Short mmCIF file of all heavy atoms in Angstrom, two decimals:
data_model
loop_
_atom_site.label_atom_id
_atom_site.label_comp_id
_atom_site.label_asym_id
_atom_site.label_seq_id
_atom_site.Cartn_x
_atom_site.Cartn_y
_atom_site.Cartn_z
N ASP A 1 10.08 0.61 -7.80
CA ASP A 1 9.89 1.97 -8.28
C ASP A 1 9.29 2.90 -7.23
O ASP A 1 9.47 4.12 -7.31
CB ASP A 1 8.98 1.96 -9.51
CG ASP A 1 9.58 1.15 -10.65
OD1 ASP A 1 10.48 1.68 -11.34
OD2 ASP A 1 9.18 -0.01 -10.83
N ARG A 2 8.58 2.32 -6.27
CA ARG A 2 7.98 3.14 -5.22
C ARG A 2 7.90 2.33 -3.93
O ARG A 2 7.43 1.19 -3.93
CB ARG A 2 6.58 3.60 -5.63
CG ARG A 2 5.84 4.40 -4.55
CD ARG A 2 4.42 4.76 -5.00
NE ARG A 2 3.64 5.32 -3.90
CZ ARG A 2 2.32 5.55 -3.95
NH1 ARG A 2 1.65 5.28 -5.06
NH2 ARG A 2 1.68 6.05 -2.90
N VAL A 3 8.40 2.92 -2.85
CA VAL A 3 8.32 2.28 -1.54
C VAL A 3 7.10 2.85 -0.81
O VAL A 3 6.97 4.07 -0.67
CB VAL A 3 9.60 2.51 -0.72
CG1 VAL A 3 9.46 1.88 0.66
CG2 VAL A 3 10.80 1.92 -1.45
N LEU A 4 6.23 1.97 -0.37
CA LEU A 4 4.98 2.38 0.26
C LEU A 4 5.09 2.39 1.78
O LEU A 4 5.93 1.68 2.36
CB LEU A 4 3.86 1.42 -0.14
CG LEU A 4 3.61 1.26 -1.65
CD1 LEU A 4 2.67 0.11 -1.90
CD2 LEU A 4 3.06 2.56 -2.24
N LYS A 5 4.23 3.15 2.40
CA LYS A 5 4.09 3.16 3.85
C LYS A 5 2.67 2.75 4.23
O LYS A 5 1.75 2.80 3.39
CB LYS A 5 4.41 4.56 4.41
CG LYS A 5 5.86 4.98 4.21
CD LYS A 5 6.12 6.35 4.83
CE LYS A 5 7.57 6.77 4.66
NZ LYS A 5 7.85 8.09 5.28
N HIS A 6 2.51 2.34 5.48
CA HIS A 6 1.19 1.95 5.98
C HIS A 6 0.17 3.05 5.70
O HIS A 6 0.39 4.22 6.01
CB HIS A 6 1.28 1.70 7.48
CG HIS A 6 -0.05 1.48 8.15
ND1 HIS A 6 -0.86 0.42 7.85
CD2 HIS A 6 -0.71 2.21 9.09
CE1 HIS A 6 -1.97 0.49 8.59
NE2 HIS A 6 -1.89 1.56 9.34
N GLY A 7 -0.93 2.67 5.06
CA GLY A 7 -1.99 3.62 4.77
C GLY A 7 -1.91 4.28 3.41
O GLY A 7 -2.84 4.99 3.02
N ASP A 8 -0.81 4.06 2.68
CA ASP A 8 -0.70 4.65 1.34
C ASP A 8 -1.78 4.08 0.42
O ASP A 8 -2.27 2.97 0.60
CB ASP A 8 0.68 4.36 0.75
CG ASP A 8 1.74 5.34 1.22
OD1 ASP A 8 1.39 6.29 1.93
OD2 ASP A 8 2.93 5.13 0.89
N VAL A 9 -2.11 4.88 -0.59
CA VAL A 9 -3.12 4.48 -1.57
C VAL A 9 -2.47 4.41 -2.94
O VAL A 9 -1.74 5.33 -3.35
CB VAL A 9 -4.30 5.47 -1.59
CG1 VAL A 9 -5.30 5.08 -2.69
CG2 VAL A 9 -4.99 5.50 -0.23
N VAL A 10 -2.71 3.31 -3.64
CA VAL A 10 -2.24 3.14 -5.02
C VAL A 10 -3.45 3.29 -5.93
O VAL A 10 -4.46 2.58 -5.78
CB VAL A 10 -1.60 1.74 -5.21
CG1 VAL A 10 -1.27 1.51 -6.68
CG2 VAL A 10 -0.36 1.61 -4.33
N SER A 11 -3.38 4.24 -6.86
CA SER A 11 -4.53 4.57 -7.69
C SER A 11 -4.21 4.39 -9.17
O SER A 11 -3.11 4.72 -9.63
CB SER A 11 -4.98 6.02 -7.44
OG SER A 11 -5.35 6.21 -6.10
N LEU A 12 -5.19 3.88 -9.90
CA LEU A 12 -5.06 3.74 -11.35
C LEU A 12 -6.47 3.58 -11.93
O LEU A 12 -7.24 2.73 -11.49
CB LEU A 12 -4.22 2.52 -11.71
CG LEU A 12 -4.01 2.27 -13.21
CD1 LEU A 12 -3.11 3.36 -13.82
CD2 LEU A 12 -3.41 0.89 -13.46
N GLY A 13 -6.78 4.42 -12.91
CA GLY A 13 -8.03 4.26 -13.65
C GLY A 13 -9.28 4.21 -12.80
O GLY A 13 -10.22 3.48 -13.12
N GLY A 14 -9.31 4.98 -11.72
CA GLY A 14 -10.48 5.01 -10.86
C GLY A 14 -10.50 3.96 -9.77
O GLY A 14 -11.39 3.94 -8.92
N VAL A 15 -9.50 3.08 -9.76
CA VAL A 15 -9.37 2.08 -8.70
C VAL A 15 -8.40 2.60 -7.66
O VAL A 15 -7.29 3.05 -7.99
CB VAL A 15 -8.86 0.73 -9.27
CG1 VAL A 15 -8.50 -0.23 -8.13
CG2 VAL A 15 -9.91 0.10 -10.16
N ASN A 16 -8.79 2.54 -6.41
CA ASN A 16 -7.95 2.97 -5.30
C ASN A 16 -7.72 1.81 -4.36
O ASN A 16 -8.66 1.29 -3.75
CB ASN A 16 -8.61 4.13 -4.55
CG ASN A 16 -8.83 5.34 -5.42
OD1 ASN A 16 -7.90 5.86 -6.03
ND2 ASN A 16 -10.07 5.80 -5.50
N LEU A 17 -6.46 1.39 -4.23
CA LEU A 17 -6.08 0.29 -3.36
C LEU A 17 -5.36 0.86 -2.14
O LEU A 17 -4.33 1.51 -2.27
CB LEU A 17 -5.13 -0.66 -4.09
CG LEU A 17 -5.77 -1.65 -5.07
CD1 LEU A 17 -4.74 -2.11 -6.09
CD2 LEU A 17 -6.33 -2.85 -4.33
N THR A 18 -5.90 0.61 -0.96
CA THR A 18 -5.29 1.07 0.27
C THR A 18 -4.41 -0.02 0.85
O THR A 18 -4.82 -1.18 0.97
CB THR A 18 -6.36 1.46 1.31
OG1 THR A 18 -7.17 2.51 0.76
CG2 THR A 18 -5.71 1.95 2.60
N ALA A 19 -3.17 0.35 1.19
CA ALA A 19 -2.19 -0.61 1.70
C ALA A 19 -2.16 -0.58 3.22
O ALA A 19 -1.83 0.45 3.82
CB ALA A 19 -0.81 -0.28 1.14
N THR A 20 -2.50 -1.70 3.84
CA THR A 20 -2.40 -1.84 5.29
C THR A 20 -1.21 -2.73 5.60
O THR A 20 -1.17 -3.89 5.21
CB THR A 20 -3.68 -2.48 5.87
OG1 THR A 20 -4.80 -1.64 5.58
CG2 THR A 20 -3.56 -2.65 7.38
N GLN A 21 -0.21 -2.17 6.29
CA GLN A 21 0.98 -2.94 6.65
C GLN A 21 0.66 -3.78 7.88
O GLN A 21 0.26 -3.27 8.92
CB GLN A 21 2.16 -2.02 6.94
CG GLN A 21 3.46 -2.78 7.21
CD GLN A 21 4.63 -1.84 7.46
OE1 GLN A 21 4.45 -0.65 7.67
NE2 GLN A 21 5.84 -2.38 7.44
N VAL A 22 0.86 -5.09 7.74
CA VAL A 22 0.54 -6.05 8.81
C VAL A 22 1.79 -6.88 9.09
O VAL A 22 1.97 -7.97 8.55
CB VAL A 22 -0.64 -6.95 8.40
CG1 VAL A 22 -1.00 -7.91 9.53
CG2 VAL A 22 -1.86 -6.11 8.02
N PRO A 23 2.70 -6.37 9.90
CA PRO A 23 3.96 -7.10 10.14
C PRO A 23 3.73 -8.40 10.91
O PRO A 23 2.71 -8.58 11.57
CB PRO A 23 4.77 -6.10 10.98
CG PRO A 23 3.74 -5.24 11.65
CD PRO A 23 2.61 -5.12 10.69
N GLY A 24 4.73 -9.27 10.80
CA GLY A 24 4.68 -10.56 11.49
C GLY A 24 5.02 -11.68 10.55
O GLY A 24 6.01 -12.38 10.72
N HIS A 25 4.21 -11.86 9.52
CA HIS A 25 4.49 -12.88 8.51
C HIS A 25 5.76 -12.50 7.75
O HIS A 25 6.68 -13.30 7.60
CB HIS A 25 3.30 -13.00 7.58
CG HIS A 25 3.28 -14.25 6.75
ND1 HIS A 25 3.31 -15.51 7.29
CD2 HIS A 25 3.24 -14.42 5.40
CE1 HIS A 25 3.29 -16.41 6.32
NE2 HIS A 25 3.26 -15.77 5.16
N THR A 26 5.77 -11.28 7.26
CA THR A 26 6.99 -10.61 6.79
C THR A 26 6.91 -9.18 7.34
O THR A 26 5.84 -8.71 7.71
CB THR A 26 7.08 -10.55 5.24
OG1 THR A 26 6.05 -9.69 4.74
CG2 THR A 26 6.96 -11.93 4.63
#
């Protein structure tokens, strides 16, 4: 439903999850 980029933030109900893309493993 949503494609994320390095540094994007996913927020819900006061929780903020920051996505760090770390290539190599996948």
Side-chain angles (χ1 to χ4, degrees):
D1 299 281
R2 177 183 171 190
V3 178
L4 303 170
K5 295 182 179 181
H6 172 64
D8 277 355
V9 176
V10 173
S11 300
L12 180 69
V15 170
N16 299 305
L17 281 157
T18 300
T20 300
Q21 185 179 13
V22 182
H25 196 57
T26 67

